[in-house]
Amino acid sequence: MRITTAAGVFDAIVAGPAEGRPVLLLHGFPQTGLVWQQQIAALAEHGYRVVAPDQRGYSPGVRPERPEDYRINVLVDDVIAITEELGWASFDLVGHDWGGAVAWWTADAHPGRVRTLTAVSTPHPGALATALRTDQDQRERSRYMINWRETPATEERMLAGDAEKLRATYAGKVPPASAEAYVRHLSQPGALTAALNWYRAGRPDGAIGVIDVPTLYVWSTEDIAFGPAAARETGQWVNGPYRFETLQGVSHWVPEEAPEALSRLLLEHLRAHGEYGTTTNTPSADSQKR
C-alpha cells in the first residue's frame, strides 16, 4: 500500500481483514517494514489489521534532505498522519529500535489514540537518559550514535566494499534474504543519509513523560545497544499496566531472531487489553495529551 499524507507518500506492508483491530508496526535502523513479516503474518492470521510503513527517509516519497526534518516530533506527526489517513481513531502501536523510540513518544503525546504500546529493545527515552547519566556500560553502548552523526563519512564507510560494514551491523542474526533487501534499499541514492539523519536531527524539543497506556516492553540479554540498566529503569516510566519480558540469549534483532516468541508476547498483550481481534474502546481522533 501507498499512504499519502501532507508530508509525502509512505510505502507500507498491509495484511489482515479491513475491519480488524488496527495495529501499526514501526521499524528501526537499518531496516524497513519488512522486519515485521513474521509478526504481520501472525497478527493477520488472528484477525488484526496490520500496517507496517517504511518510515520517513526510508520511503522514497518522504525523504527530505535536512537532518532537522527528522526530529522526533516530526516522526510522531508522521504516525498520526498515517493513522488518520487510514481512518484509525485509535490503534495498537508496536516499535523496534528507532521505531520503538517513536512509539514511546507517540504514546506520551497521544495517549487517547494509542490503545496499547509494545516497545521492542528500545527502553523508555527517560530511562535511557538516566542510564546514560549513571551507567558507564550504557554510555559505551551508545557511543556509536555519536560516531554516526559524521557526514558523509559514515555513509561512505558503511557502503564501501559492497556495503561490508552495513551488512556487519546485522551480526548474522537477520535472515540473509532480509539483510540483502535492506542493503539494496539503503544503497539507493540518498537513502542511507536519510536513515542516518534520524541520529543527526538533534535533541527532542521537550521532555517525555510517564506513559499511561498499557505497555509491553521486550528486551533481550544480548542486545548490544541497550543494556540492563535502562531496561530495568523503564518500568519507572509507565503508570499504566506494564509487562516487562526478557528474552535470554537473543540479540538486538528480536523481530527476526526470535519471531515466534515476540509474536506470542504481542498477541497476549493485545488480547489482555481489548476485545480479541476487533476494534473496541476507540476514543475520538482529536484526543491528545496536553
Coordinates of all heavy atoms in Angstrom, one line a residue, residues 110-141:
H110 N 0.0 11.2 22.5 CA -1.3 10.9 22.1 C -1.9 9.7 22.8 O -2.2 8.7 22.1 CB -1.3 10.7 20.6 CG -0.8 11.8 19.8 ND1 -1.7 12.9 19.4 CD2 0.4 12.1 19.3 CE1 -1.0 13.7 18.7 NE2 0.3 13.3 18.6
P111 N -2.0 9.7 24.1 CA -2.5 8.5 24.8 C -3.9 8.1 24.5 O -4.3 7.0 24.6 CB -2.4 8.9 26.3 CG -2.4 10.4 26.3 CD -1.8 10.8 25.0
G112 N -4.7 9.1 24.0 CA -6.1 8.8 23.6 C -6.2 8.1 22.3 O -7.2 7.5 21.9
R113 N -5.1 8.1 21.5 CA -5.1 7.5 20.2 C -4.5 6.1 20.3 O -4.8 5.2 19.5 CB -4.3 8.3 19.2 CG -4.8 9.7 18.9 CD -6.1 9.7 18.1 NE -6.0 9.0 16.9 CZ -5.6 9.6 15.7 NH1 -5.3 10.9 15.8 NH2 -5.5 8.9 14.6
V114 N -3.5 5.9 21.2 CA -2.7 4.7 21.3 C -3.4 3.7 22.3 O -3.5 4.0 23.5 CB -1.3 4.9 21.7 CG1 -0.5 3.6 21.9 CG2 -0.6 5.8 20.7
R115 N -4.0 2.6 21.8 CA -4.7 1.7 22.7 C -3.7 0.9 23.6 O -3.9 0.8 24.8 CB -5.6 0.7 21.9 CG -6.4 -0.3 22.8 CD -7.0 -1.3 21.9 NE -8.1 -0.8 21.1 CZ -8.1 -0.5 19.8 NH1 -7.0 -0.8 19.1 NH2 -9.2 -0.1 19.2
T116 N -2.7 0.4 23.0 CA -1.6 -0.3 23.7 C -0.3 0.1 23.0 O -0.3 0.4 21.8 CB -1.8 -1.8 23.7 OG1 -1.5 -2.3 22.4 CG2 -3.1 -2.3 24.2
L117 N 0.8 -0.1 23.8 CA 2.1 0.2 23.3 C 2.9 -1.1 23.5 O 2.9 -1.7 24.6 CB 2.8 1.3 24.1 CG 4.3 1.5 23.9 CD1 4.6 1.9 22.4 CD2 4.8 2.6 24.9
T118 N 3.7 -1.5 22.5 CA 4.7 -2.5 22.6 C 6.0 -2.0 22.1 O 6.1 -1.6 21.0 CB 4.3 -3.8 21.8 OG1 3.1 -4.3 22.3 CG2 5.4 -4.9 22.0
A119 N 7.0 -1.9 23.0 CA 8.4 -1.4 22.6 C 9.3 -2.6 22.7 O 9.4 -3.4 23.7 CB 8.8 -0.4 23.6
V120 N 10.0 -2.9 21.6 CA 10.9 -4.0 21.4 C 12.3 -3.4 21.4 O 12.7 -2.6 20.5 CB 10.6 -4.8 20.2 CG1 11.5 -6.0 20.1 CG2 9.1 -5.2 20.1
S121 N 13.1 -3.9 22.4 CA 14.5 -3.5 22.5 C 14.7 -2.1 23.1 O 15.5 -1.9 24.1 CB 15.3 -3.5 21.2 OG 15.2 -4.8 20.6
T122 N 14.0 -1.1 22.6 CA 14.2 0.3 23.0 C 13.6 0.6 24.3 O 12.4 0.6 24.5 CB 13.6 1.2 21.9 OG1 14.0 0.8 20.6 CG2 14.1 2.7 22.1
P123 N 14.4 1.0 25.3 CA 13.8 1.4 26.6 C 13.1 2.8 26.5 O 13.2 3.5 25.5 CB 15.0 1.5 27.5 CG 16.1 1.9 26.6 CD 15.8 1.2 25.3
H124 N 12.3 3.1 27.5 CA 11.7 4.4 27.6 C 12.8 5.5 27.5 O 13.9 5.3 28.1 CB 10.9 4.6 28.9 CG 10.2 5.9 29.0 ND1 10.9 7.1 29.2 CD2 8.9 6.2 29.0 CE1 10.0 8.1 29.3 NE2 8.8 7.5 29.2
P125 N 12.6 6.5 26.7 CA 13.7 7.5 26.5 C 14.2 8.2 27.8 O 15.3 8.5 28.0 CB 13.1 8.6 25.6 CG 12.1 7.8 24.8 CD 11.5 6.8 25.7
G126 N 13.3 8.3 28.8 CA 13.7 8.8 30.1 C 14.5 7.9 30.8 O 15.5 8.3 31.5
A127 N 14.2 6.6 30.7 CA 15.1 5.6 31.3 C 16.4 5.5 30.7 O 17.5 5.3 31.4 CB 14.4 4.2 31.2
L128 N 16.5 5.6 29.4 CA 17.8 5.6 28.7 C 18.6 6.9 29.1 O 19.8 6.7 29.3 CB 17.5 5.7 27.1 CG 18.8 5.7 26.3 CD1 19.7 4.5 26.6 CD2 18.4 5.7 24.8
A129 N 17.9 8.0 29.2 CA 18.7 9.2 29.6 C 19.3 9.0 31.0 O 20.4 9.4 31.3 CB 17.7 10.4 29.6
T130 N 18.5 8.4 31.9 CA 19.0 8.1 33.3 C 20.2 7.2 33.2 O 21.2 7.4 33.9 CB 17.9 7.5 34.1 OG1 16.8 8.4 34.3 CG2 18.4 7.1 35.5
A131 N 20.1 6.2 32.4 CA 21.2 5.2 32.3 C 22.5 5.9 31.7 O 23.6 5.6 32.1 CB 20.8 4.0 31.4
L132 N 22.3 6.8 30.7 CA 23.4 7.5 30.1 C 24.1 8.4 31.1 O 25.3 8.6 31.1 CB 22.9 8.3 28.9 CG 22.6 7.5 27.7 CD1 21.9 8.4 26.6 CD2 23.8 6.8 27.1
R133 N 23.4 8.9 32.1 CA 24.0 9.7 33.2 C 24.7 8.9 34.2 O 25.7 9.3 34.8 CB 22.9 10.6 33.8 CG 22.4 11.7 33.0 CD 21.6 12.7 33.8 NE 20.6 12.1 34.6 CZ 19.3 11.9 34.2 NH1 18.9 12.3 33.0 NH2 18.4 11.3 35.0
T134 N 24.2 7.7 34.5 CA 24.6 7.0 35.7 C 25.3 5.7 35.4 O 25.9 5.1 36.4 CB 23.4 6.7 36.6 OG1 22.5 5.8 35.8 CG2 22.7 7.9 37.0
D135 N 25.3 5.2 34.2 CA 25.8 3.8 33.9 C 26.9 3.9 32.8 O 26.5 4.2 31.6 CB 24.6 2.9 33.5 CG 25.1 1.5 33.3 OD1 25.6 0.9 34.2 OD2 24.9 1.0 32.2
Q136 N 28.1 3.6 33.1 CA 29.2 3.6 32.2 C 29.0 2.6 31.0 O 29.3 2.8 29.9 CB 30.5 3.3 32.9 CG 31.7 3.3 31.9 CD 31.9 4.7 31.3 OE1 31.6 5.7 31.8 NE2 32.5 4.7 30.1
D137 N 28.4 1.4 31.4 CA 28.1 0.4 30.4 C 27.2 1.0 29.3 O 27.5 0.8 28.1 CB 27.5 -0.8 31.0 CG 27.0 -1.8 30.0 OD1 27.9 -2.4 29.3 OD2 25.8 -2.0 29.9
Q138 N 26.1 1.7 29.7 CA 25.2 2.2 28.7 C 25.9 3.3 27.9 O 25.7 3.4 26.7 CB 24.0 2.7 29.3 CG 22.9 3.2 28.3 CD 22.5 2.1 27.3 OE1 22.1 1.0 27.7 NE2 22.7 2.3 26.0
R139 N 26.7 4.1 28.5 CA 27.4 5.1 27.7 C 28.3 4.5 26.7 O 28.4 5.0 25.5 CB 28.3 6.0 28.7 CG 27.5 7.0 29.5 CD 28.3 8.1 30.1 NE 29.2 7.5 31.2 CZ 28.8 7.4 32.5 NH1 27.6 7.8 32.8 NH2 29.6 6.9 33.4
E140 N 29.0 3.4 27.0 CA 29.8 2.7 26.0 C 29.0 2.2 24.9 O 29.3 2.2 23.7 CB 30.6 1.6 26.7 CG 31.7 2.1 27.6 CD 32.8 3.0 26.9 OE1 33.1 2.7 25.7 OE2 33.3 4.0 27.5
R141 N 27.8 1.6 25.2 CA 26.9 1.0 24.2 C 26.4 2.1 23.3 O 26.2 1.8 22.1 CB 25.8 0.3 24.9 CG 26.1 -1.0 25.7 CD 24.9 -1.4 26.5 NE 25.2 -2.6 27.3 CZ 24.9 -3.8 27.0 NH1 24.3 -4.1 25.9 NH2 25.2 -4.8 27.9

